[in-house]
Structures are given as structure tokens and as C-alpha cells.
Amino acid sequence: MENLNIEVKRGKHYTLAEAGNWSDLDQYTYGPKQFPGKLFLKDVLELTGMEVSMNKLPAGKKVPFYHAHKENEELYIFVKGQGQFQVDDEVMDVREGTVIRVSTPGVRTWRNNSQEDLYFIVIQAKENSLTQCTVEDGIVPDRKVEWPD
Ligand code: ZN
């Protein structure tokens, strides 16, 4: 696949990957047209309940299509730069710190109409699948935190 450069470390209860610097995300491509700048993590990390991607959209670029989803809601987390996001013809400005959840039928696209690169994370998870989270789902083992020197 496209993600051969990724170094992966597996433990009994984790998978860790080194994807490289955000600014080098162009090395990863996706789709039949091999668009650069998108790294899907589901297969790399063996995720079972979500798909996550790390994304870079260069200055002045736009996604050349709209899309919606069949089953998954999406969360877009913008981590650096600025641009615009469109859902059902409504246009919103996005920048570092903007988070947008889009439900399945929302017809969406986005662009980077700025002079600097735009970086964001997209998380897909099955709509209405979350039954518990955070403190409700957490377990705190009875052990003191230790670190090697
Ligand atoms: Zn999507």
C-alpha cells in the first residue's frame, strides 16, 4: 500500500506508529487518483471502532468533490492553518482549534484559501454507536504510577 514508510511497534495491548512530521504528510497518498496528504490510520494501527486520518491541504488547494456518508459521522479537528468548510451549502471559516462534527447525510467539502498549509484530523465512527465514555468507561487499576529513571 501507500503507507510502507511507517514504522510500527506492536505490544500486547497497543500499536504505535511514527507517521513523521505533519509537514511531510504529502508522502502519503489515497484514493485511485493518489491524492497526496492524507494518512488513514485504521489499518496502520488496527483500529476496530473508528477510522482516523491525518491530513494536510496545501495553501490554495481545495477538495475537488463533495461527499456524505452511509453510516459514519465525522469529526474534523483543525490543528494548524485556516480555510473554509462547507456543509449543505453553508460555508464556515475554520482554523486551528475549530472542530466540526458532520452527520451522515451532510454533504461536505473544504478548501484552503489561505497562504499557509492547513492541517487537520478526521475521525469516523458509526453514528449513534457510543454507549459510554470517559469516566463511565474508564477503569483505574489499583497500582502506583512508576517510571524508569
Ligand atoms: Zn468522509
Side-chain angles (χ1 to χ4, degrees), residues 22 30 38 40 51-57 63 65-69 72-80 84-87 92-104 106-111 118-125:
W22 282 88
Y30 69 104
K38 189 174 191 79
F40 284 109
E51 172 65 283
V52 180
S53 62
M54 298 167 69
N55 301 269
K56 172 185 179 180
L57 189 61
V63 174
F65 54 86
Y66 287 102
H67 81 281
H69 277 267
N72 296 338
E73 65 182 356
E74 282 188 320
L75 171 61
Y76 293 77
I77 304 172
F78 291 89
V79 296
K80 193 171 192 296
Q84 286 188 315
F85 202 93
Q86 194 183 127
V87 182
M92 294 157 273
D93 291 331
V94 299
R95 62 179 57 80
E96 176 178 333
T98 304
V99 292
I100 305 178
R101 178 251 176 186
V102 186
S103 61
T104 49
V107 174
R108 71 212 71 180
T109 194
W110 52 95
R111 69 174 178 174
L118 178 65
Y119 297 95
F120 56 101
I121 296 165
V122 185
I123 300 172
Q124 280 184 27

Side-chain angles (χ1 to χ4, degrees), residues 16-47:
L16 176 153
E18 296 293 348
N21 294 336
W22 282 88
S23 55
D24 297 330
L25 270 176
D26 316 74
Q27 68 182 301
Y28 304 113
T29 58
Y30 69 104
K33 291 186 176 169
Q34 299 286 296
F35 288 112
K38 189 174 191 79
L39 172 62
F40 284 109
L41 296 176
K42 181 178 74 66
D43 293 340
V44 173
L45 296 177
E46 298 156 340
L47 296 169

Side-chain angles (χ1 to χ4, degrees), residues 125-138:
K126 188 167 175 152
E127 211 159 49
N128 300 311
S129 66
L130 193 65
T131 57
Q132 59 182 4
C133 60
T134 56
V135 174
E136 285 180 303
D137 194 56

